[in-house]
Amino acid sequence: MVEMRIHKVEGIKSFSRLDFPLPPHFVFGSSTSSYQVEGAAFEDGRTPSIWDTHAHSGYTNGANGDIGCDGYHKYKEDVHLMAETGLEAYRFSISWSRLIPNGTGAVNPKGLQFYNNLINELINHGMEPHVTLFHYDTPQILEDEYEGWLSKKAVTAFVAYADVCFREFGDRVLHWTTFNEPNVFAHYGYDFGILQPNRCSSPFGTNCTKGNSSTEPYIVAHNIILAHAATARLYSEKYKAVQHGFIGLDLYAYWYVPYTNSVEDVIATQRANDFFIGWFLNPLVYGDYPDIMKKNAGTRIPTFTKLESRLVKGSFDFLGVNHYSTIQVEDMSISLQMDVKDFTADMAVNLTLNDSNVPQGQLPLNPTGLRELLEYLKNYGNPPIYIYENGQSTIRNGTLHDIPRVQYIQSYIGSLLDAIRNGSNTRGYFIWSFLDVLELLDGYESGYGLYYVDLDDKNLKRYPKLSAKWYSDFLKGSSTSPDQEI
């Protein structure tokens, strides 16, 4: 028996699933996304997305999602595993280019059938489907035609795609997320150029063949916000009265803490929150960007018309949050003096992940960061929140005895309970990820999964890790405490 000391969480002695509200008021689940888990990239009418292009250009350590975990063919087996684990909900994304291969126009019957089958399988096993419409995967045909999200045409195309999803799946799906991590997508895909569609300009990014780091992140974010608002309005006017579902947007959110107690670092920490979270959340709550963003970016950040502001304000029923780490923030106001600036220079901070004592491939354990983040988000009117991603990365070496992942998950769930008892309106918690999937930055070098997938086995056999057993026991009522032994 291996003794495991769990990170102490303030205010939490021990807890179980019964300390949280029961479904449908609160759900525990796990997450994946289409390109990362489905495979079958060239089957049954699917066309490439910008993620296919990105992966085949060598950005993910030579790995790609052509086969992935073969979730396209193995969905029944996977849903059975989810049910055995005790999941109450499953969050997945729809591949736009599998459902509508040309980006607009005709629906692919095979793609439609797959998602109908998956949704039905989940419901038949007693799980809520939580569906994300966009997870870093613009159809490549739209990127080639008009540079994707740099064009207002993408707004129209996305709303039409969402309309198909609502029409075909909305009788069984209640929770819709329009965009996954649009703040990361705009920043890392159009400023640094290290994520799809790999656009940037010197000196802010390297190895990009086109792009403008000074303006494009702001343009893309603006168009995504307008697409989200238009989609929410479509749902409200056409579907909500019959389907009774909910629309949200999913943001990546660090918890930021000042590097020092200096006034400059404290102000810089708020500036980091305004740029990374407020970039999207301020328009959705207040109808406009944070003042500091408009001041620092000037004419490079688009403006909302009065009509757009009214449409955007209040255009969400819940907020999705993807949280993994706490980041130290140091003031870098000197960057505002640069002649040419990008989003990072406008933010004017230096960000540090304190991981000096963390084993390779793992994230630092700082569960109080989740509680503080949820406390901060109460300032936006305490919206309903689903934590759609939270989990621990480890080197993907086949080890099933993943104590660091158990420590991480238990600590963060404890911190979440503390936040709920403190008034947070959080409605769900989803572990990233259900399986070891193709990861956004490093392919198959690391894994976040509750289940290991043997890529060398022709059947891609799934193996439960210790974390899967722990989560299953927790979901089935076992009590857990900071001094638990495993």
Side-chain angles (χ1 to χ4, degrees):
M1 181 176 289
V2 178
E3 184 179 7
M4 179 177 67
R5 292 283 174 176
I6 302 298
H7 193 95
K8 202 88 170 172
V9 179
E10 181 183 342
I12 297 295
K13 301 297 184 185
S14 65
F15 58 92
S16 74
R17 173 65 183 90
L18 296 177
D19 287 298
F20 294 82
L22 297 176
H25 306 292
F26 190 100
V27 292
F28 280 95
S30 191
S31 299
T32 63
S33 84
S34 55
Y35 186 72
Q36 293 173 277
V37 76
E38 284 179 6
F42 311 108
E43 291 185 42
D44 292 344
R46 182 188 181 275
T47 59
S49 75
I50 59 172
W51 203 333
D52 293 80
T53 305
H54 172 80
H56 279 272
S57 299
Y59 284 97
T60 49
N61 286 329
N64 59 63
D66 291 359
I67 298 173
C69 300
D70 198 25
Y72 184 76
H73 296 110
K74 298 173 74 70
Y75 74 91
K76 287 188 177 181
E77 175 186 334
D78 289 339
V79 172
H80 180 72
L81 280 181
M82 293 174 204
E84 281 191 336
T85 306
L87 296 192
E88 298 159 358
Y90 176 55
R91 178 244 186 174
F92 63 96
S93 74
I94 290 175
S95 167
W96 185 350
S97 62
R98 188 184 296 283
L99 188 64
I100 305 176
N102 290 324
T104 59
V107 174
N108 175 19
K110 295 278 191 178
L112 180 64
Q113 187 62 51
F114 169 69
Y115 292 113
N116 269 319
N117 289 345
L118 174 58
I119 291 166
N120 290 340
E121 196 75 12
L122 289 166
I123 291 173
N124 289 340
H125 283 80
M127 281 173 279
E128 288 185 6
H130 286 235
V131 176
T132 299
L133 296 175
F134 181 86
H135 199 114
Y136 293 96
D137 55 353
T138 316
Q140 184 63 45
I141 192 170
L142 302 186
E143 192 71 27
D144 294 339
E145 185 179 342
Y146 47 72
E147 297 185 324
W149 287 105
L150 285 167
S151 171
K152 284 283 201 306
K153 292 179 181 179
V155 176
T156 304
F158 181 82
V159 174
Y161 155 59
D163 194 9
V164 171
C165 293
F166 297 152
R167 183 185 72 226
E168 299 293 342
F169 312 126
D171 58 329
R172 288 151 292 154
V173 175
L174 292 179
H175 296 86
W176 296 96
T177 301
T178 52
F179 293 88
N180 174 77
E181 300 178 352
N183 47 352
V184 175
F185 177 69
H187 188 194
Y188 284 66
Y190 293 83
D191 185 354
F192 297 149
I194 60 175
L195 295 183
Q196 56 271 34
N198 309 110
R199 296 180 66 97
C200 64
S201 59
S202 181
F204 308 109
T206 58
N207 299 323
C208 297
T209 58
K210 51 190 172 183
N212 186 330
S213 297
S214 295
T215 60
E216 289 188 359
Y218 294 116
I219 295 168
V220 166
H222 195 76
N223 287 337
I224 284 176
I225 291 169
L226 294 177
H228 164 83
T231 300
R233 183 181 184 185
L234 167 74
Y235 187 83
S236 177
E237 293 181 349
K238 191 174 179 180
Y239 296 101
K240 193 174 183 70
V242 174
Q243 296 180 357
H244 309 293
F246 309 95
I247 301 289
L249 182 81
D250 189 4
L251 296 177
Y252 192 99
Y254 297 106
W255 177 237
Y256 293 117
V257 295
Y259 185 71
T260 71
N261 291 327
S262 69
V263 172
E264 291 80 7
D265 285 355
V266 171
I267 293 173
T269 301
Q270 181 56 53
R271 188 165 64 245
N273 274 317
D274 284 337
F275 265 78
F276 209 59
I277 297 175
W279 191 8
F280 287 83
L281 198 46
N282 271 57
L284 266 58
V285 174
Y286 305 116
D288 200 2
Y289 296 114
D291 289 341
I292 191 64
M293 289 194 76
K294 294 190 291 183
K295 176 184 176 182
N296 289 5
T299 58
R300 288 178 290 113
I301 190 168
T303 57
F304 293 106
T305 67
K306 289 183 179 180
L307 175 59
E308 288 171 343
S309 180
R310 287 199 300 270
L311 292 175
V312 169
K313 183 177 179 180
S315 62
F316 71 110
D317 299 310
F318 67 87
L319 176 67
V321 171
N322 296 352
H323 172 77
Y324 294 90
S325 305
T326 294
I327 299 285
Q328 295 176 319
V329 181
E330 185 178 12
D331 178 62
M332 283 288 289
S333 293
I334 191 172
S335 69
L336 296 173
Q337 300 174 19
M338 296 170 58
D339 292 333
V340 180
K341 297 192 290 290
D342 65 340
F343 178 88
T344 305
D346 294 335
M347 195 190 308
V349 298
N350 182 47
L351 303 177
T352 305
L353 180 65
N354 186 12
D355 59 356
S356 57
N357 298 317
V358 178
Q360 182 184 3
Q362 292 180 29
L363 295 167
L365 194 65
N366 195 341
T368 55
L370 176 58
R371 178 173 56 79
E372 295 291 345
L373 171 64
L374 294 174
E375 192 71 22
Y376 176 79
L377 292 173
K378 286 161 67 175
N379 296 324
Y380 285 93
N382 201 17
I385 288 174
Y386 288 90
I387 299 168
Y388 275 140
E389 291 187 23
N390 177 248
Q392 175 64 284
S393 172
T394 55
I395 297 297
R396 198 175 187 280
N397 56 12
T399 299
L400 303 180
H401 202 69
D402 58 341
I403 285 179
R405 183 166 291 107
V406 178
Q407 292 175 318
Y408 183 103
I409 294 168
Q410 181 175 17
S411 299
Y412 278 77
I413 291 177
S415 188
L416 167 61
L417 179 57
D418 213 10
I420 291 172
R421 287 174 172 173
N422 219 22
S424 171
N425 196 13
T426 303
R427 307 283 182 88
Y429 173 88
F430 293 67
I431 291 173
W432 183 270
S433 51
F434 184 66
L435 305 174
D436 279 338
V437 300
L438 175 81
E439 283 300 331
L440 183 61
L441 292 174
D442 61 1
Y444 297 110
E445 295 300 309
S446 67
Y448 287 79
L450 297 170
Y451 287 81
Y452 171 71
V453 180
D454 185 355
L455 299 178
D456 295 322
D457 176 66
K458 66 177 182 179
N459 294 315
L460 297 170
K461 188 173 180 179
R462 282 79 159 122
Y463 295 89
K465 301 179 189 177
L466 185 65
S467 55
K469 180 185 184 304
W470 182 91
Y471 199 38
S472 180
D473 288 345
F474 167 74
L475 293 175
K476 294 170 183 176
S478 294
S479 182
T480 185
S481 73
D483 296 313
Q484 176 181 343
E485 290 186 358
I486 287 186

